[in-house]
């Protein structure tokens, strides 16, 4: 007999099997000798009380042994199968390719950037010299933006598809088993490249193709039906199905659709800054302690506030993390955050952003590029005020609210460097006004948050795509082009690694 219950334990008890069994036996009102095994199905931290506890969903096996859970995936040899072209090797593209193996299609993945190992050299050059390779950077290359943006797997996309399947596939390829259990699963930027390489090997071994340094310059169609693509080397690759999984920063794809006369539309996105605190401030506030207990991970937060009828919210919070330069073109500043698997850096950062709606930008209802140009203008202004070499404009938190230029900046994790500026000159007026109103209110919700020990680094602008590529709700095809499947974040249908992966799976299922 199996029984699933919820139990709460203190951090120092989380790895104590005897304590878990004793608590289970007490709650189930059975003799502990009858419990022959258990496994933790879900694990979360509850820090609402004076002392943080772990809340566990535990399955206990009474009078029967525990049987190991086995995840199986039926993969076909697809060397000679019908091809599906997938543009982009980010989470949407890679999981679409994996799903092709299960469904009996031959995936041909075309990635403009480099494999993960080669990509590291370009990332090092970005951090050391402030030089952006427009084809290989934090957004473009094997694994897409997800590879070097933390590996957070928390999602609310359960209704869109099978979240557990995505997590199981990650585990099959080397991710820690904990991601199946934790309420906020996380892999870590240091581990993701090896997992992505293992997924690549699975795809190749079963007959799929992945071509790097292979930008798609044209999508071929005839009489409203897909025929294939043409690459930057001039090669034509033919197929009846093309999945466009290019991510939120592949602006050339949007211009390609415009040249083709295919429907695209402006889409709301969010814009703001990265805010970095010393991690100990966040730990003390969230865990109500002076020093974080050894068995608790670095604390995270999630904050939201309404100011002037605008939502201001934290986004992609990275405990023990790093702020990274994520521009994809010269003379732009874009920042994002990531954490290693141990989250053991001394700082915590989070995007703090405001929704940009269609009505905020003139002509956005008639011009699909209006919000994209708005995004670019803010990124270019950020670069100008930073002074070059990807130096980012920055300001201490209280100084920003009080509209004072900071005389000094705190030590921070952004490697190209920061420059003290008035961020009101970077952010559009309605954005900085809402942000100035929200930060003191966040400080009332979380002790220690509102402090000049925190630094605002501009700009966080690639939260999602500012353009949507429409598709039919049932067939997932573009309404004007049969066989063309807009997919993932770049098309406007996902918001993170897991939701993008699910969308990639769904597009193959639609085929």
């Amino acid at each position: 007999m199996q029984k699933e219950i919820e139990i709460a334990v203190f951090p120092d008890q989380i790895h104590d099997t005897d304590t878990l069994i004793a608590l289970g036996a007490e709650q189930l009102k059975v003799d502990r000798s009858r419990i022959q095994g258990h496994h933790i199905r879900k694990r979360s931290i509850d820090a609402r009380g004076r002392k943080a506890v772990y809340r566990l969903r535990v399955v206990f096996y009474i009078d029967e042994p525990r049987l190991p859970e086995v995840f199986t995936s039926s993969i076909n040899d697809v060397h000679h199968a019908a091809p599906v072209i997938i543009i982009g090797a980010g989470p949407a593209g890679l999981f679409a390719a994996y799903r092709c193996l299960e469904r009996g299609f031959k995936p041909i993945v075309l990635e403009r950037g480099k494999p993960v190992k080669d990509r590291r050299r370009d990332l090092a050059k970005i951090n050391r010299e402030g030089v952006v390779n427009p084809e290989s950077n934090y957004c473009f290359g094997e694994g897409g933006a997800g590879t070097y943006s933390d590996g957070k797997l928390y999602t609310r996309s359960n209704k869109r598809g099978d979240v557990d399947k995505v997590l199981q596939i990650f585990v099959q390829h080397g991710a820690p088993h904990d991601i199946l259990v934790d309420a906020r699963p996380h892999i870590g930027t240091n581990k993701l490249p090896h997992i992505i390489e293992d997924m690549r090997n699975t795809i190749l071994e079963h007959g799929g193709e992945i071509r790097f340094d292979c930008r798609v310059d044209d999508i071929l169609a005839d009489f409203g039906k897909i025929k294939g693509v043409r690459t930057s080397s001039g090669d034509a690759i033919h197929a009846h199905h093309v999945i466009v999984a290019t991510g939120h920063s592949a602006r050339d794809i949007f211009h390609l659709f415009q040249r083709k006369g295919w429907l695209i539309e402006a889409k709301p996105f969010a814009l703001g800054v990265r805010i970095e605190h010393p991690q100990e401030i966040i730990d003390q506030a969230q865990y109500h302690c002076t020093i974080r207990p050894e068995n608790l991970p670095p604390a995270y937060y999630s904050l939201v506030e309404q100011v002037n009828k605008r939502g201001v919210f934290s986004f992609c919070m990275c405990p023990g993390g790093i702020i990274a330069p994520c521009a994809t073109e010269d003379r732009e500043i874009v920042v994002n955050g990531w954490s290693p698997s141990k989250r053991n850096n001394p700082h915590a950062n989070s995007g703090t952003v405001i929704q940009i709606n269609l009505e905020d930008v003139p002509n956005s209802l008639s011009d699909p590029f209006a919000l994209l140009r708005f995004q670019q203008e803010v990124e270019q202004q950020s670069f100008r005020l930073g002074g070059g070499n990807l130096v980012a404009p920055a300001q201490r938190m209280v100084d920003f609210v009080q509209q004072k230029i900071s005389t000094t900046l705190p030590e921070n994790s952004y490697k190209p460097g920061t420059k003290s500026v008035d961020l009101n000159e970077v952010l559009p007026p309605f954005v900085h006004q809402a942000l100035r109103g929200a930060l003191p209110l966040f400080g009332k919700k979380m002790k220690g948050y509102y402090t000049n020990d925190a630094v605002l680094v501009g700009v966080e602008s690639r939260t999602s795509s500012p353009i949507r590529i429409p598709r039919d709700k049932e067939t997932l095809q573009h309404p004007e082009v049969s066989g063309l499947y807009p997919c993932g974040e770049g098309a406007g249908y996902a918001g993170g690694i897991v939701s993008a992966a699910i969308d990639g799976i769904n597009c193959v299922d639609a085929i």
Side-chain angles (χ1 to χ4, degrees):
M1 174 171 62
Q2 300 175 25
K3 291 283 188 179
E4 181 175 329
I5 60 172
E6 181 178 299
I7 60 176
V9 297
F10 291 115
D12 59 356
Q13 299 172 317
I14 188 65
H15 301 299
D16 188 340
T17 299
D18 288 340
T19 296
L20 296 184
I21 291 176
L23 289 170
E26 180 182 359
Q27 190 167 325
L28 292 168
K29 296 181 170 46
V30 299
D31 190 282
R32 62 182 298 166
S33 64
R34 295 178 60 193
I35 296 178
Q36 297 187 26
H38 76 284
H39 78 268
I40 298 171
R41 181 155 286 171
K42 281 297 172 188
R43 175 174 57 213
S44 62
I45 297 170
D46 184 351
R48 292 172 294 181
R50 295 186 65 182
K51 202 169 182 184
V53 297
Y54 279 96
R55 295 204 176 274
L56 312 175
R57 296 292 306 178
V58 187
V59 177
F60 289 96
Y61 294 79
I62 302 168
D63 298 329
E64 66 176 47
R66 176 190 171 186
L67 298 176
E69 292 184 331
V70 179
F71 173 76
T72 58
S73 178
S74 177
I75 298 178
N76 300 287
D77 184 293
V78 297
H79 282 84
H80 306 293
V84 172
I85 295 173
I86 301 167
I87 309 175
L94 286 176
F95 276 82
Y98 189 91
R99 187 61 166 169
C100 281
L101 304 183
E102 295 182 320
R103 288 294 199 175
F105 296 113
K106 178 185 177 73
I108 301 175
V109 182
L110 308 178
E111 169 54 53
R112 70 191 299 165
K114 299 177 182 179
V116 283
K117 286 183 179 176
D118 297 339
R119 195 176 167 192
R120 288 173 181 161
R121 299 187 191 97
D122 296 312
L123 301 186
K125 201 167 186 179
I126 289 172
N127 284 305
R128 284 199 310 264
E129 303 173 28
V131 176
V132 177
N133 179 342
E135 305 297 337
S136 177
N137 44 62
Y138 274 95
C139 291
F140 299 153
E142 186 175 19
T147 304
Y148 294 102
S149 61
D150 194 57
K152 281 184 287 293
L153 304 178
Y154 176 68
T155 182
R156 296 184 177 92
S157 299
N158 301 64
K159 293 182 180 179
R160 298 184 190 177
D162 190 345
V163 173
D164 285 342
K165 177 182 177 69
V166 171
L167 300 182
Q168 288 279 8
I169 291 171
F170 274 127
V171 171
Q172 274 191 321
H173 292 89
H177 189 272
D178 284 354
I179 68 171
L180 301 176
V181 174
D182 286 332
R184 303 185 73 89
H186 165 258
I187 293 176
T189 298
N190 54 317
K191 292 185 176 181
L192 267 167
H194 303 293
I195 295 165
I196 298 303
E197 285 180 320
D198 282 349
M199 286 192 70
R200 179 218 306 167
N201 292 334
T202 295
I203 293 163
L204 296 177
E205 287 167 5
H206 289 83
E209 295 182 22
I210 301 180
R211 305 183 190 183
F212 296 106
D213 297 305
C214 186
R215 189 183 68 242
V216 170
D217 284 350
D218 197 7
I219 299 174
L220 309 176
D222 195 11
F223 299 105
K225 293 185 178 180
I226 281 293
K227 298 298 180 182
V229 302
R230 192 176 302 281
T231 70
S232 51
S233 62
D235 295 335
I237 305 170
H238 297 286
H240 296 300
H241 303 284
V242 172
I243 295 175
V244 180
T246 47
H248 56 43
S249 294
R251 294 165 171 167
D252 56 311
I253 290 294
F254 302 134
H255 288 288
L256 171 60
F257 271 69
Q258 184 187 44
R259 292 197 302 273
K260 291 285 190 181
W262 295 341
L263 186 64
I264 54 176
E265 58 193 26
K267 183 184 80 62
F269 71 108
L271 182 144
V273 294
R274 275 270 146 188
I275 296 183
E276 185 168 85
H277 289 78
Q279 179 64 52
E280 62 183 11
I281 288 179
I282 308 303
D283 290 342
Q284 290 166 3
Q286 298 296 73
Y287 292 145
H288 318 294
C289 63
T290 303
I291 299 175
R292 172 169 52 89
E294 186 176 326
N295 288 303
L296 283 175
Y300 70 91
Y301 61 83
S302 177
L303 295 167
V304 63
E305 193 61 65
Q306 285 285 323
V307 178
N308 300 331
K309 297 183 179 180
R310 288 187 177 275
V312 183
F313 57 96
S314 62
F315 169 85
C316 183
M317 197 270 159
C318 300
I322 298 289
I323 299 178
C326 293
T328 51
E329 299 178 32
D330 287 334
R331 307 189 68 80
E332 295 176 347
I333 291 287
V334 181
V335 295
N336 196 358
W338 60 269
S339 300
S341 56
K342 292 183 179 179
R343 291 178 159 170
N344 55 355
N345 286 297
H347 301 101
N349 70 76
S350 176
T352 306
V353 294
I354 291 88
Q355 182 84 350
I356 310 299
N357 298 311
L358 300 186
E359 57 267 26
D360 293 323
V361 181
N363 304 318
S364 59
L365 292 175
S366 58
D367 180 0
F369 286 88
L371 268 71
L372 189 149
R373 284 195 299 272
F374 176 87
Q375 180 191 64
Q376 284 180 302
E377 289 166 4
V378 175
E379 293 171 1
Q380 290 164 4
Q381 174 70 347
S382 186
F383 180 89
R384 285 191 291 270
L385 290 180
N389 293 329
L390 297 184
V391 173
Q395 197 169 6
R396 290 180 183 264
M397 182 183 285
V398 178
D399 290 345
F400 169 76
V401 173
Q402 296 179 353
Q403 302 187 69
K404 298 190 302 186
I405 294 178
S406 302
T407 55
T408 63
L409 293 174
E411 179 184 345
N412 61 74
S413 66
Y414 183 74
K415 290 183 179 179
T418 49
K419 179 182 177 181
S420 178
V421 305
D422 182 358
L423 286 176
N424 294 329
E425 296 182 24
V426 176
L427 301 168
F430 68 88
V431 173
H432 66 67
Q433 288 165 10
L435 197 55
R436 285 206 318 271
L439 297 179
L441 297 176
F442 286 166
K444 291 180 180 179
K445 290 182 174 180
M446 195 170 91
K447 184 179 179 182
Y449 177 91
Y450 183 60
T451 172
N452 245 5
D453 289 334
V455 63
L456 282 61
V457 181
V459 289
E460 172 84 47
S461 53
R462 304 284 178 94
T463 54
S464 64
S465 174
I467 289 180
R468 177 180 286 110
I469 306 176
R471 70 185 186 190
D472 182 89
K473 289 183 179 180
E474 298 297 327
T475 68
L476 305 191
Q477 296 176 86
H478 191 278
E480 298 173 329
V481 190
S482 175
L484 182 62
Y485 297 82
C487 179
E489 281 201 37
Y493 300 101
I497 291 174
V498 172
S499 60
I502 288 172
D503 205 52
I505 291 170
N506 289 343
C507 284
V508 175
D509 288 348
I511 293 173

